[in-house]
Amino acid sequence: MRVLVTGGAGFIGSHVVEALKARGHEAAVFDLRDGLDVRDAWAVAAALPGVDAVCHQAAMVGLGTGFGDAVEYVSRNDLGTAVLLSAMAEAGVQRLVLAGSMVVYGEGRYECEWHGVVRPGPRAVADLDAGRFEPRCPQCGEELTPGLVGEDAPVDPRNVYATTKLAQEHLAAAWARSTSGSAVSLRYHNVYGPGMPRDTPYAGVASFFRSALARGEAPRVYEDGGQRRDFVHVRDVAAANVAALEAEPLAGSLAAYNAGSGEPHTVGEMARALAAAYGGPAPVVTGEYRLGDVRHITADSSRLRAELGWKAEVGFEEGMREFARA
C-alpha cells in the first residue's frame, strides 16, 4: 500500500518509513522540515491522491516550557489533525493510524489495600515541595501499589500536551464515524532510540539524560528517581504502526492500543543504565519536580499483542546500550 506518513522525517516517523519500506510498502513523507505543514489544507490535499492510508506522526510533543505553549500545542496537534482528517474525508482515504500517547490516562493504575482500585487526583504542590512524591489513597490516605493501565481505564489528561493528544483521538473517532473510515490510535509509552531529538525542552527524559552525558555531565533525575515508566524502543513502535496498517480495518470506529514494552522501569534505573552504557558520570537525584508530571504510568499492551500480533523485541538493557552509542 501507499502510506502518507506525516512527520515522516522526525524521530518516530523516520523509523516508521523504514519499517514500511522493509515490508514492501510505499511511504510518502509529509514533514515540516520540507516546508509541508499539516495545518496547510492545500498542501495536505495535494499529498493525498493515490494514498491508501495515513500514518499521522506529526505533532508537537513533550511537556513544554509552560502554559504559554498551549496555543501552539493546540494549533499543531488538534488543528493540524482536523485539517488532515477533513482532507482525507474529501479525498476518500479511509485508513488512519494515529500516534497517540499514554499521557491521556494521567496517573496510572493504583490499588489500595483497603479500597481496591482507586484514582488519585493531581499531586499537591505542598506534598511535592516536601518530597512526598507518591500519590496516596484518596479515601484513606494510605500508600498505593502501582500497576499496569489498560486501554479501558478512564482518561484524565494532566497537562496541555495530554489534552491535545486526547482531542486528536476524539477527532479521529468522529472522522471514522462520519466517513466509515478505520482509525487506530497507538498510545505510545516512553519511546527512545536512535534519532531522538536533543537539547530541546520538548524532548523525552531519555534524550535529556543522553544529552547531559554527551556534555560530560551527570544526568539530573527529578523527584527521587522512583517514577515508573515503560521505555519502549522506537523500532518496536514503528513495527506497531506497520502492524496496525496491515490489520483488517474496522470501519466506523477508533481502536486504541497501548504500545509499550511490558517491562516497567523507574526513571532512576533508566538513568543509571544509560550512564553505565555510555561510560559517563553517575546520575544525580535532585528532588526537583515538574508540575504536570505524573508519578507512575506503565502499560498493559496485551491487547496489541493479542489483536495485531505485535510484541516488543528490543530489551531494556540492549536498547539502552544502543541508545548510549547512537
Side-chain angles (χ1 to χ4, degrees), residues 1-6 16-17 20 25-30 47 50-56 95 97 241 245:
M1 72 178 77
R2 178 175 170 81
V3 182
L4 181 69
V5 183
T6 69
V16 171
V17 168
L20 284 167
H25 301 295
E26 182 182 356
V29 173
F30 188 100
V51 165
D52 301 301
V54 174
C55 190
H56 186 29
R95 297 201 65 175
V97 174
N241 277 270
L245 287 163

Short mmCIF file of all heavy atoms in Angstrom, two decimals, residues 1-6 16-17 20 25-30 47 50-56 95 97 241 245:
data_model
loop_
_atom_site.label_atom_id
_atom_site.label_comp_id
_atom_site.label_asym_id
_atom_site.label_seq_id
_atom_site.Cartn_x
_atom_site.Cartn_y
_atom_site.Cartn_z
N MET A 1 0.84 -1.20 0.00
CA MET A 1 0.00 0.00 0.00
C MET A 1 0.87 1.25 0.00
O MET A 1 2.04 1.20 0.37
CB MET A 1 -0.94 -0.01 1.21
CG MET A 1 -0.29 0.23 2.54
SD MET A 1 -1.46 0.28 3.94
CE MET A 1 -1.78 -1.47 4.15
N ARG A 2 0.28 2.34 -0.43
CA ARG A 2 0.96 3.63 -0.38
C ARG A 2 0.49 4.37 0.87
O ARG A 2 -0.72 4.62 1.03
CB ARG A 2 0.67 4.46 -1.63
CG ARG A 2 1.31 5.84 -1.64
CD ARG A 2 1.08 6.56 -2.95
NE ARG A 2 1.47 7.95 -2.91
CZ ARG A 2 2.72 8.40 -3.06
NH1 ARG A 2 3.70 7.53 -3.25
NH2 ARG A 2 3.00 9.69 -3.01
N VAL A 3 1.43 4.71 1.73
CA VAL A 3 1.11 5.31 3.03
C VAL A 3 1.72 6.70 3.12
O VAL A 3 2.93 6.86 2.92
CB VAL A 3 1.62 4.44 4.19
CG1 VAL A 3 1.23 5.06 5.53
CG2 VAL A 3 1.09 3.01 4.08
N LEU A 4 0.91 7.68 3.43
CA LEU A 4 1.40 9.02 3.70
C LEU A 4 1.77 9.10 5.18
O LEU A 4 0.92 8.86 6.05
CB LEU A 4 0.34 10.07 3.38
CG LEU A 4 0.77 11.53 3.60
CD1 LEU A 4 1.83 11.93 2.57
CD2 LEU A 4 -0.44 12.47 3.52
N VAL A 5 3.03 9.41 5.47
CA VAL A 5 3.50 9.49 6.84
C VAL A 5 3.73 10.95 7.18
O VAL A 5 4.71 11.56 6.73
CB VAL A 5 4.79 8.68 7.06
CG1 VAL A 5 5.22 8.73 8.53
CG2 VAL A 5 4.61 7.23 6.60
N THR A 6 2.81 11.54 7.95
CA THR A 6 3.05 12.91 8.40
C THR A 6 4.11 12.87 9.49
O THR A 6 4.16 11.95 10.29
CB THR A 6 1.77 13.55 8.94
OG1 THR A 6 1.40 12.92 10.17
CG2 THR A 6 0.62 13.43 7.94
N VAL A 16 9.20 4.71 11.15
CA VAL A 16 8.01 4.15 10.53
C VAL A 16 8.21 4.01 9.03
O VAL A 16 7.87 2.98 8.43
CB VAL A 16 6.77 5.02 10.83
CG1 VAL A 16 5.57 4.55 10.01
CG2 VAL A 16 6.44 4.98 12.31
N VAL A 17 8.78 5.03 8.41
CA VAL A 17 9.06 4.98 6.97
C VAL A 17 9.96 3.80 6.64
O VAL A 17 9.70 3.03 5.70
CB VAL A 17 9.69 6.31 6.50
CG1 VAL A 17 10.25 6.18 5.08
CG2 VAL A 17 8.66 7.43 6.56
N LEU A 20 8.00 0.51 7.00
CA LEU A 20 7.07 0.31 5.90
C LEU A 20 7.79 -0.19 4.65
O LEU A 20 7.34 -1.13 3.98
CB LEU A 20 6.33 1.61 5.59
CG LEU A 20 5.22 2.02 6.56
CD1 LEU A 20 4.81 3.46 6.32
CD2 LEU A 20 4.01 1.10 6.41
N HIS A 25 5.99 -1.79 1.41
CA HIS A 25 5.04 -0.72 1.17
C HIS A 25 5.75 0.52 0.63
O HIS A 25 6.97 0.67 0.77
CB HIS A 25 4.29 -0.37 2.46
CG HIS A 25 3.54 -1.51 3.06
ND1 HIS A 25 2.47 -2.12 2.43
CD2 HIS A 25 3.72 -2.19 4.23
CE1 HIS A 25 2.02 -3.10 3.19
NE2 HIS A 25 2.75 -3.17 4.28
N GLU A 26 4.97 1.43 0.08
CA GLU A 26 5.50 2.71 -0.38
C GLU A 26 5.16 3.78 0.65
O GLU A 26 4.00 3.93 1.03
CB GLU A 26 4.89 3.08 -1.74
CG GLU A 26 5.42 4.38 -2.31
CD GLU A 26 4.76 4.76 -3.63
OE1 GLU A 26 3.95 3.96 -4.13
OE2 GLU A 26 5.05 5.86 -4.13
N ALA A 27 6.16 4.50 1.10
CA ALA A 27 5.96 5.54 2.10
C ALA A 27 6.22 6.91 1.49
O ALA A 27 7.30 7.15 0.93
CB ALA A 27 6.87 5.32 3.29
N ALA A 28 5.24 7.79 1.59
CA ALA A 28 5.39 9.17 1.15
C ALA A 28 5.53 10.05 2.38
O ALA A 28 4.69 9.98 3.29
CB ALA A 28 4.19 9.60 0.31
N VAL A 29 6.58 10.85 2.45
CA VAL A 29 6.87 11.66 3.63
C VAL A 29 6.27 13.05 3.50
O VAL A 29 6.45 13.73 2.48
CB VAL A 29 8.40 11.77 3.86
CG1 VAL A 29 8.71 12.74 4.98
CG2 VAL A 29 8.97 10.39 4.17
N PHE A 30 5.55 13.46 4.53
CA PHE A 30 4.99 14.81 4.62
C PHE A 30 5.50 15.38 5.93
O PHE A 30 5.10 14.93 7.01
CB PHE A 30 3.45 14.73 4.62
CG PHE A 30 2.76 16.07 4.53
CD1 PHE A 30 2.25 16.51 3.32
CD2 PHE A 30 2.60 16.88 5.64
CE1 PHE A 30 1.60 17.73 3.23
CE2 PHE A 30 1.96 18.10 5.56
CZ PHE A 30 1.47 18.52 4.35
N ALA A 47 -1.17 16.13 -1.30
CA ALA A 47 -0.38 14.93 -0.98
C ALA A 47 -1.20 13.66 -0.94
O ALA A 47 -0.63 12.56 -0.88
CB ALA A 47 0.31 15.13 0.38
N GLY A 50 -3.83 9.02 -4.58
CA GLY A 50 -3.09 7.78 -4.69
C GLY A 50 -2.70 7.16 -3.37
O GLY A 50 -2.08 6.08 -3.34
N VAL A 51 -3.06 7.79 -2.26
CA VAL A 51 -2.70 7.30 -0.92
C VAL A 51 -3.77 6.32 -0.43
O VAL A 51 -4.96 6.58 -0.55
CB VAL A 51 -2.54 8.47 0.07
CG1 VAL A 51 -2.52 7.99 1.51
CG2 VAL A 51 -1.27 9.24 -0.26
N ASP A 52 -3.34 5.18 0.12
CA ASP A 52 -4.26 4.18 0.66
C ASP A 52 -4.51 4.36 2.15
O ASP A 52 -5.56 3.95 2.67
CB ASP A 52 -3.69 2.78 0.44
CG ASP A 52 -3.47 2.48 -1.03
OD1 ASP A 52 -4.44 2.54 -1.80
OD2 ASP A 52 -2.31 2.21 -1.41
N ALA A 53 -3.54 4.93 2.86
CA ALA A 53 -3.65 5.09 4.30
C ALA A 53 -2.75 6.22 4.75
O ALA A 53 -1.77 6.57 4.06
CB ALA A 53 -3.28 3.80 5.03
N VAL A 54 -3.07 6.78 5.92
CA VAL A 54 -2.25 7.84 6.51
C VAL A 54 -1.77 7.38 7.88
O VAL A 54 -2.54 6.88 8.69
CB VAL A 54 -3.03 9.16 6.65
CG1 VAL A 54 -2.21 10.20 7.41
CG2 VAL A 54 -3.41 9.70 5.27
N CYS A 55 -0.48 7.57 8.12
CA CYS A 55 0.13 7.31 9.42
C CYS A 55 0.50 8.68 9.99
O CYS A 55 1.47 9.31 9.55
CB CYS A 55 1.35 6.42 9.24
SG CYS A 55 2.03 5.78 10.77
N HIS A 56 -0.28 9.15 10.94
CA HIS A 56 -0.18 10.54 11.41
C HIS A 56 0.74 10.63 12.63
O HIS A 56 0.33 10.41 13.76
CB HIS A 56 -1.57 11.06 11.74
CG HIS A 56 -1.63 12.51 12.11
ND1 HIS A 56 -0.74 13.44 11.63
CD2 HIS A 56 -2.50 13.19 12.93
CE1 HIS A 56 -1.04 14.63 12.13
NE2 HIS A 56 -2.09 14.50 12.92
N ARG A 95 -8.22 5.03 5.83
CA ARG A 95 -7.44 4.32 6.86
C ARG A 95 -6.49 5.29 7.54
O ARG A 95 -5.74 6.01 6.88
CB ARG A 95 -6.64 3.16 6.26
CG ARG A 95 -7.51 2.08 5.65
CD ARG A 95 -6.78 0.77 5.54
NE ARG A 95 -6.44 0.23 6.84
CZ ARG A 95 -5.88 -0.97 7.02
NH1 ARG A 95 -5.59 -1.72 5.98
NH2 ARG A 95 -5.61 -1.40 8.24
N VAL A 97 -3.75 5.62 10.99
CA VAL A 97 -3.08 5.20 12.22
C VAL A 97 -2.52 6.46 12.86
O VAL A 97 -1.75 7.20 12.24
CB VAL A 97 -1.97 4.17 11.97
CG1 VAL A 97 -1.21 3.89 13.26
CG2 VAL A 97 -2.56 2.89 11.41
N ASN A 241 3.16 0.37 14.27
CA ASN A 241 2.45 1.14 13.25
C ASN A 241 2.21 0.30 12.00
O ASN A 241 1.12 0.33 11.42
CB ASN A 241 3.26 2.39 12.89
CG ASN A 241 3.03 3.54 13.83
OD1 ASN A 241 2.13 4.35 13.64
ND2 ASN A 241 3.84 3.62 14.87
N LEU A 245 -1.40 -0.86 10.35
CA LEU A 245 -1.74 -0.57 8.96
C LEU A 245 -2.08 -1.83 8.18
O LEU A 245 -2.92 -1.81 7.28
CB LEU A 245 -0.58 0.16 8.28
CG LEU A 245 -0.38 1.61 8.68
CD1 LEU A 245 1.00 2.10 8.29
CD2 LEU A 245 -1.46 2.50 8.06
#
